[in-house]
Amino acid sequence: MTKTTKALLLVMFFISIQTTFSQGSPDYNGGLKLKFDEEGKKYLRIISWAQIQAGYNNDVDATSSKTSFNLRRARVLMFSQINKKFLILTHFGLNSLNSSTLSPTGKGSGSQLFLHAVWAQYNVNKNLSIGGGLHYFNGISRLNNQSTLNMMTLDNNRQSWATIGLTDQFARHVGIFMKGKFGKLQYRLAINDAITNGLDARVPMANGEIAYGGKNLLGSKDAGKAYAGYFDYHFLDQESNFLPYKVGTYLGGKKVFNVGAGFFLHPNGSALMENGNLVGEDVSIFAVDAFYDSPIGDDGSAITAYATYQSNDYGENYLYSAYGTGSMVYSHIGYVFSGDNTKTRYQPYISYGSNSYDATSNNRNILGLGVNAFMSGHNSKLTLEYKNQDYGTSTSSVTLQAMIYL
């Protein structure tokens, strides 16, 4: 075989495609897939996406502009297998690159690409896989396992990513996982090493003070491991669990009704001062949720609905940034108007979350009103969202986001 023939065959393999990731797009059938054999059992799959935002915030100080621009996400994800028993995934990129995180020569920390995930997976059989690495097989709820490729709302509900930066690196832990299904019940379980230098770097100095830094303050022997799991029962169409990322809206491409429950446990995850000594306090988070997505009739219209209740225990009266001991209820619903799938389709939506904290009488209530314009499903869309947060004081913002993924 000549070099020219080999090159032509390589190009043909490279431009071949699969349908794994298409959600409601008339133009996109799965992106780039480099095949290493004629059957497609050996391959390298590449996905790339970008989300660019323009925002308006009326609640900034007098010297700040009310408008701003933000590169919300720029990511590349690759996964490959040499046969059906082995898979490796690599995910890298950056988040929230704006005027505050830019650097003069592009060498600052905010400008750098970093590893979001790298894991290796062994498929025991079609219903059981085990693996390890920097992974995204999270517990708690569907939203804590949310894909950023196909969210219905502008972004994920922040309080649903309940451990981000506290025990993990950007919602990914280093550890081992097991995932699979029993009939219509899907599951994922993980044992992870908690991060040593998390966001909460406080050191309790007086009785009653508490910080989520048990591993750093008490040591890895007593506070090093965290445990997570999520289970969901699929009453209607079965969703793929090939990768951990949960779909936000199928735009009527499936008829899905799932009920789920999950947990996150971190023994001695928090630390507090008692009589001059640091002692550990367990962290436990539990949630139940339901997800429904279905076409309505045969005219292209569809509905997406989600609801969750989450109990957060980071330790007695814990409160830090977006995290706090208490409870959360959250829901969103969206409706895709009828129309031709090859033309722009619109999906107005509403979201609402209420977070209560034991340490304060103020609830954090967040209302979102938005609309998606799908020009090619999730692969090319615009999202306009108004968001109001009431947490002691009321703040509002309007954001327009353009997203493309290939």
Side-chain angles (χ1 to χ4, degrees), residues 23-177:
Q23 282 106 28
S25 171
D27 308 308
Y28 186 82
N29 291 316
L32 294 175
K33 181 181 179 183
L34 173 59
K35 295 181 180 179
F36 300 116
D37 64 356
E38 292 182 358
E39 294 81 14
K41 296 179 180 179
K42 302 178 182 181
Y43 64 83
L44 171 65
R45 175 73 198 282
I46 303 172
I47 305 171
S48 177
W49 67 101
Q51 297 168 342
I52 301 94
Q53 298 179 343
Y56 176 85
N57 189 335
N58 193 48
D59 301 304
V60 297
D61 60 65
T63 61
S64 297
S65 173
K66 295 182 179 181
T67 60
S68 61
F69 302 100
N70 181 34
L71 178 57
R72 180 64 183 93
R73 293 181 180 91
R75 308 276 190 85
V76 174
L77 185 147
M78 304 181 294
F79 57 91
S80 178
Q81 66 177 37
I82 57 174
N83 61 45
K84 289 187 176 181
K85 287 191 174 295
F86 305 96
L87 180 138
I88 183 171
L89 182 142
T90 303
H91 179 189
F92 60 90
L94 57 73
N95 304 280
S96 299
L97 185 64
N98 52 53
S99 61
S100 298
T101 57
L102 286 168
S103 57
T105 60
K107 296 181 180 180
S109 60
S111 305
Q112 300 306 301
L113 301 179
F114 68 93
L115 282 175
H116 285 71
V118 176
W119 72 77
Q121 178 178 305
Y122 174 72
N123 303 316
V124 179
N125 56 52
K126 66 178 182 179
N127 293 323
L128 174 62
S129 300
I130 58 175
L134 180 62
H135 68 87
Y136 193 64
F137 289 92
N138 296 324
I140 305 178
S141 73
R142 185 182 185 92
L143 292 190
N144 200 44
N145 298 271
Q146 170 74 63
S147 168
T148 60
L149 286 173
N150 44 49
M151 292 181 287
M152 189 191 73
T153 53
L154 177 78
D155 215 316
N156 200 26
N157 178 51
R158 176 64 182 83
Q159 280 66 36
S160 291
W161 272 323
T163 64
I164 191 168
L166 294 177
T167 66
D168 57 45
Q169 176 175 282
F170 222 79
R172 285 85 177 171
H173 284 93
V174 171
I176 57 174
F177 63 85

Side-chain angles (χ1 to χ4, degrees), residues 228-242:
Y230 180 69
F231 307 82
D232 54 341
Y233 190 85
H234 298 225
F235 289 92
L236 302 176
D237 290 351
Q238 304 296 292
E239 293 188 276
S240 171
N241 70 340
F242 180 72

